[in-house]
Structure formats: structure tokens, C-alpha cells
Amino acid sequence: MSLLEKIAKAVLDGDEDAVPGLVRQAVQEGSAPNDVLQQGLLKGMAEVGRLFRDGEYFVPEVLISAETLKAGTAVLKPLLVAAGIKPEFTAIVGTVKGDLHDIGKNLVSTMLEGVGFEVIDIGVDVPAERFVSACREHKAHIVAISALLTTTMPAMEEAVKALRAANLQPTPMVLVGGAPITQDYADKIGANGYGKDAATGAELARKLVSR
């Protein structure tokens, strides 16, 4: 098993203690930092996403793997910055105004990072205008909007309408999700896509920006 394969497996296994040393060793032995990121850390996290989507991994395993991913990227980040390497696409993630739930949002953030996005998490209880200003500031390609309460679904529609009316450049693709959200509702409010879970949403986000 190569070092990059060992890094991917460590992320998959949630071996937070092992990953930093493996990442340092790979770089010291000549692997390019971006290869360590893409073929090691993110490859492992992508497999975590697949297992979560298929019901073989659950939230605790995903969160442990996410912490392992962060431990590895913390080692790589200075090297990537020095090399001028940054994610090609940016995603804004937030839970709508009136809703304080964050577990689903946090999972989506992790899965988006796992498929190569730079993620800007703007938190919970986010008004429509904050989604717009964050997109404008960070030139986002994806906006992922979460609502966990039926009472906050109108706020999701308001956020989508505000994003559409803002004439943002680039024009972000809007993904929606959360317990009460359906594909029909996503279509009704004009979203570009619906994620029934975090992993599916991240896969769809990647497809939308790759068209």
C-alpha cells in the first residue's frame, strides 16, 4: 500500500493520530502537496461520503473522519498556500433564518470539503440578505441552504428568491436540503438541486459546477 493509500485509509478509519505523520512523510518523500490532498485526504473522505450515502457509515463515523481530514489538511495548508494552490470552487453553507439546527449543515460542509470545495460556513439563523452578501464577498459557485423546521421553509424560499434577484457573478447554483424538504419543494422555489442527505448533496454540487 502506497503512502497516499495509507492516508486515504487513515481518513476512512478516522485515525486522527496517524494522519499528520503520514502526510509529513509523504511530502518529505517527494509527493506534491496537492497530490497528498487529492489522492490521499480527499480520496479517503470521498469514500466516507459514499459509505454514508449507502447507509454503511453513520454520523459519528463521518464526524471522526472529518476531524481526521482536518488534522491532515492542517499540515498541508501552509504548503498549499506557498504553492498558490487553492480549491477551484467555493460554497456558501448556512441554515435559514429562524432555524438554529446545525448538525446537517455541518455534515454538508464536511462533505463539500471532501469533494474539493472551499467552504464558507455562515452559520445558523441566516437571513436572506446574508446569503447574498456572502456570495458577493466570496464569489461563490454553490449556495447550500438548510432548513430543519417546516416553519422555516418560507425563509428558504425567500433566500432563493433573494439570490436570484441579486444578479450575482458568478451566478451561484442553489442547493437545498433538510428534513422537511423534498425535490418537489426544491423545484417549486427555483433551487438548482435537492440533497436528500449530505453526501448526495455534495455529489450533486460537484456535478453542477463541472458542467
Side-chain angles (χ1 to χ4, degrees):
M1 185 182 290
S2 71
L3 266 176
L4 296 185
E5 289 171 335
K6 287 180 180 178
I7 291 169
K9 186 175 186 303
V11 173
L12 187 63
D13 294 342
D15 193 347
E16 187 176 349
D17 293 334
V19 155
L22 288 170
V23 168
R24 290 189 189 96
Q25 183 182 350
V27 172
Q28 288 166 0
E29 293 186 8
S31 293
N34 197 44
D35 288 344
V36 178
L37 177 67
Q38 299 291 339
Q39 298 171 34
L41 295 168
L42 295 186
K43 185 176 180 180
M45 199 66 210
E47 180 64 8
V48 171
R50 185 191 69 78
L51 292 170
F52 180 66
R53 180 198 66 202
D54 293 347
E56 296 179 50
Y57 264 28
F58 300 95
V59 171
E61 290 93 339
V62 173
L63 295 178
I64 291 169
S65 289
E67 289 304 312
T68 305
L69 174 69
K70 289 176 184 176
T73 53
V75 175
L76 275 184
K77 193 167 185 179
L79 300 173
L80 294 168
V81 170
I85 297 168
K86 61 180 182 178
E88 185 179 359
F89 300 108
T90 301
I92 303 296
V93 179
T95 304
V96 295
K97 184 171 178 60
D99 201 322
L100 301 178
H101 291 85
D102 68 353
I103 293 177
K105 171 187 65 63
N106 294 345
L107 284 173
V108 170
S109 295
T110 296
M111 293 301 176
L112 285 169
E113 289 175 348
V115 295
F117 282 88
E118 179 181 4
V119 175
I120 311 298
D121 186 339
I122 57 175
V124 299
D125 193 24
V126 180
E129 58 270 19
R130 175 66 182 121
F131 282 107
V132 172
S133 64
C135 282
R136 188 169 282 123
E137 178 183 354
H138 298 284
K139 301 195 180 304
H141 304 87
I142 291 285
V143 186
I145 306 175
S146 173
L148 274 292
L149 302 171
T150 55
T151 53
T152 59
M153 289 170 68
M156 176 177 279
E157 182 174 10
E158 183 183 342
V160 174
K161 286 181 178 177
L163 288 162
R164 295 292 181 233
N167 294 317
L168 295 163
Q169 294 297 328
T171 302
M173 297 288 185
V174 182
L175 300 183
V176 296
I181 308 305
T182 63
Q183 182 66 61
D184 285 346
Y185 186 72
D187 294 341
K188 176 186 172 185
I189 65 175
N192 297 100
Y194 158 70
K196 66 182 180 63
D197 57 52
T200 303
E203 288 175 3
L204 177 56
R206 190 72 215 185
K207 287 177 183 175
L208 287 172
V209 297
S210 299
R211 286 178 178 173

